[in-house]
């Protein structure tokens, strides 16, 4: 049943800067490359595939599109798929060329702007900051070493604050830049000094500051609260989602043709295909009672079977424990080196990676005394943090009580605008049995079954479906190719209701109570808001026969 109410109220979430406990949200930001590291462009179609991979598979809600310089025409070509997948696009640029006009920057409707100049005194960097400020576009900034000894870090920090920068990264290395390495050990030492000084000045001025990819021993003790190595970087909301960043890092030096092949393979691996077994066997089985009884019995025993369990292992003896500990210690010493292996921070620090050693030759490392530190956020404390509306919504996540109350009141006090009968839709790609008042779904596999589209509708609307007469693992709605709004089925009958406000905010209710949609790793996502022209379908997972 469907309720369609144009009078539902809309709402919005603003951009908030707050000082919070430093243990952060995990990131939902992805990264794609408009060119490889040599400047060869990736085709627009491949960029659209890359966006889909990030949104549908990696569950990123924001994506940085990295350009060498700026190409707003190519960037605008991605707007359509961004709207389709409900993802916010940001422009990441090295500021190699002059910025576009204020009007152009406003027209493309950027989520924000990420400026990564080759040097803090790059010729066009200040112009980019000025144009972004006039266009009222939030700006994040990243500086990457090496730095010159005469860099005025205090003036640079003042300028960033004056231009309204919301966040700054200061990195020892960056795989997506072609900066020349430091000239010698003395230049490296000067760079480390400038990095620590710049971080201190930015932090003192209330600017969200992060120090990336530097060993903790090279960071001054007051600045260690700002340090992000691998174990912190992928858990900080201002940085990148791990899988997305790792893929971009692997592909940045590849030819665009190889990038295309990699994207196609990743998408194919995560594509859901129809299961032909039910489509072929169900009609035949339902006409042969003895065959159906045998197949159904087999189904009951194998319905929840997944990959085989590993063979059971006996409990190791104390001598085996000691041998394993010694082996792990030897492997750590070999991987980390003799200095880092003795450091109390080796479990939360990357140590001296080869990439950093190339960027900053002669960098020195020293083992830090004390007991081993295990918590990646051991040094974390309250510091200024910036949350855009997406991260603020996640930080304060919870059911929208007003929408829940509105949905329940609507269902109780008003007749539906339309009732979708059992003969108005069918189960896609498989046999089903329409009856007066209901449609019976059948399955002998543990896959997902979806209906044909129930309707085509724009928010605001409310859609209610009653499930009963059997049991399944998850029930709910499928919207588009990649979105699933489903919840566990815990009883033999549920009423599942999807209530969508005019601005796309929604709640999913099971028997009148709000539930969080199930997130499926590597396949489907549940967006923060829904768009327009929706074609909802019923989705049922792992049906127990019927």
């Amino acid at each position: 049943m469907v309720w369609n109410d144009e009078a539902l109220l809309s709402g919005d979430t603003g951009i908030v800067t707050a000082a919070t406990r430093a243990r952060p949200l995990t990131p939902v930001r992805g990264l794609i490359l408009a060119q490889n590291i040599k400047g060869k462009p990736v085709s627009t179609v491949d960029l659209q595939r890359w966006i889909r991979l990030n949104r549908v598979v990696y569950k990123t809600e924001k994506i940085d599109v990295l350009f060498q310089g700026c190409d707003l025409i190519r960037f605008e070509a991605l707007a359509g798929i961004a709207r389709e997948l409900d993802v916010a696009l940001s422009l990441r640029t090295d500021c190699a060329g002059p910025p576009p006009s204020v009007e152009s920057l406003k027209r493309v409707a950027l989520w924000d702007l990420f400026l990564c100049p080759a040097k803090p005194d790059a010729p066009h960097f200040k112009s980019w900051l000025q144009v972004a400020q006039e266009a009222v576009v939030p700006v994040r900034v990243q500086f990457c070493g090496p730095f010159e000894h005469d860099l005025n870090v205090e003036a640079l920090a003042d300028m960033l604050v004056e231009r309204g920068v919301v966040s700054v990264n200061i990195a020892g290395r960056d795989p997506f830049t072609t900066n020349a390495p430091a000239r010698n050990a003395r230049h490296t030492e000067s760079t480390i000094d400038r990095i620590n000084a710049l971080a201190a000045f930015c932090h003192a001025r209330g600017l969200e500051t992060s120090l990336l990819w530097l060993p903790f021993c090279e960071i001054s003790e007051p600045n260690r609260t700002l340090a992000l190595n691998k174990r912190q970087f992928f858990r900080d909301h201002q940085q990148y989602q791990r899988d997305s960043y790792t893929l971009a890092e692997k592909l940045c030096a590849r030819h665009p043709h190889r990038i295309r092949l990699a994207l196609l393979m990743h998408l194919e691996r995560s594509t859901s295909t129809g299961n032909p077994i039910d489509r072929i066997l169900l009609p035949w089985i339902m006409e042969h009672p003895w065959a159906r009884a045998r197949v159904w019995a087999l189904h009951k025993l194998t319905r929840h079977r997944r990959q085989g369990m590993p063979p059971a292992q006996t409990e190791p003896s104390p001598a085996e424990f000691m041998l394993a500990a010694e082996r792990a210690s030897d492997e750590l010493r070999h991987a980390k080196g003799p200095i880092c292996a003795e450091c109390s921070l080796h479990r939360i620090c990357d140590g001296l990676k080869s990439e950093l050693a190339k960027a900053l030759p002669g960098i020195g490392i020293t083992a830090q005394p004390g007991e081993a530190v295990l918590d990646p956020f051991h040094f974390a404390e309250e510091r200024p943090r910036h949350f855009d509306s997406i991260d603020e919504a996640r930080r304060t996540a919870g059911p929208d009580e007003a929408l829940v109350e509105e949905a329940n009141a609507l269902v109780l006090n008003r007749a539906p605008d339309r009732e979708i009968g059992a003969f108005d839709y069918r189960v896609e790609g498989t046999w089903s049995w329409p009856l007066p008042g209901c449609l019976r779904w059948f399955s002998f596999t543990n896959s997902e079954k979806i209906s044909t589209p129930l309707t085509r509708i724009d928010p605001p609307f409310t859609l209610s479906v009653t499930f009963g007469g059997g049991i399944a693992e998850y029930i709910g709605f499928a919207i588009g190719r990649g979105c699933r709004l489903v919840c566990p089925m815990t009883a033999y009958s549920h009423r599942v209701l999807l209530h969508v406000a005019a601005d796309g905010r929604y709640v999913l209710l099971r028997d009148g109570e709000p539930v969080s949609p199930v997130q499926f790793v590597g396949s489907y996502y549940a967006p923060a808001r829904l768009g327009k022209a929706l074609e909802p379908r019923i989705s049922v997972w792992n049906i127990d026969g019927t």
Side-chain angles (χ1 to χ4, degrees), residues 402-421:
L403 279 183
V404 172
E405 184 178 346
E406 188 178 78
N408 283 323
L410 182 69
V411 172
L412 289 174
N413 300 318
R414 183 176 147 190
D417 296 305
R418 179 185 173 194
E419 186 166 347
I420 301 171

Side-chain angles (χ1 to χ4, degrees), residues 425-426 428 441 448-455 463 465 467 476-481 483-486 534-540:
Y425 72 99
R426 57 185 175 80
E428 192 169 79
W441 298 43
E448 178 197 22
K449 303 293 179 187
I450 61 173
S451 73
T452 54
L454 303 176
T455 185
L463 180 63
V465 178
F467 298 84
F477 304 97
I479 298 178
R481 293 182 61 185
C483 172
R484 295 295 184 269
L485 304 177
V486 298
L534 303 177
E535 293 186 344
R537 304 165 183 248
I538 300 172
S539 173
V540 187

Side-chain angles (χ1 to χ4, degrees), residues 11-169:
D12 197 10
T13 304
I15 294 178
V16 179
T17 302
T20 64
R21 181 64 188 158
R23 189 175 295 271
L25 292 169
T26 54
V28 290
R29 190 188 305 277
L31 177 64
I32 69 174
L33 315 177
Q35 301 101 2
N36 66 8
I37 198 82
K38 296 179 181 179
K40 294 183 178 180
V42 178
S43 73
T44 300
V45 173
D46 288 331
L47 291 179
Q48 292 171 344
R49 293 183 179 119
W50 210 336
I51 291 173
R52 185 175 297 277
L53 178 66
N54 272 268
R55 185 64 177 112
V56 175
V57 180
Y58 301 149
K59 309 297 184 296
T60 57
E61 299 180 36
K62 303 175 282 187
I63 296 176
D64 282 354
V65 187
L66 191 157
F67 281 89
Q68 295 173 13
C70 178
D71 188 345
L72 287 187
I73 295 177
R74 293 190 68 207
F75 186 88
E76 286 185 279
L78 306 176
I81 193 168
R83 286 192 299 269
E84 176 189 341
L85 297 177
D86 187 30
V87 62
L89 293 186
S90 300
L91 175 65
R92 173 172 172 169
T93 175
D94 59 0
C95 306
S101 65
V102 174
E103 293 73 21
S104 298
L105 211 57
K106 288 181 178 179
R107 186 184 71 248
V108 296
L110 295 171
W111 182 253
D112 63 12
L113 191 60
F114 192 22
L115 304 182
C116 306
K119 295 181 179 180
D121 57 354
H124 302 291
F125 176 51
K126 291 183 179 180
S127 301
W128 275 94
L129 286 176
Q130 181 177 351
V131 169
Q133 189 175 35
E134 293 176 8
V136 197
V137 176
V139 176
R140 298 174 287 128
V141 170
Q142 177 169 293
F143 300 118
C144 184
F147 298 153
E148 298 302 327
H149 72 280
D150 58 351
L151 176 65
N152 189 337
V153 292
E154 186 171 8
L156 179 59
D158 288 335
M159 189 262 290
L160 295 176
V161 174
E162 179 184 346
R163 291 300 182 185
V165 172
V166 299
S167 173
V168 59
N169 290 342

Side-chain angles (χ1 to χ4, degrees), residues 408 490-491 493-497 509-514:
N408 283 323
T490 58
S493 178
H494 287 301
R495 184 183 195 181
V496 179
L497 186 144
L509 280 69
R510 183 181 60 197
D511 300 331
E513 296 296 325

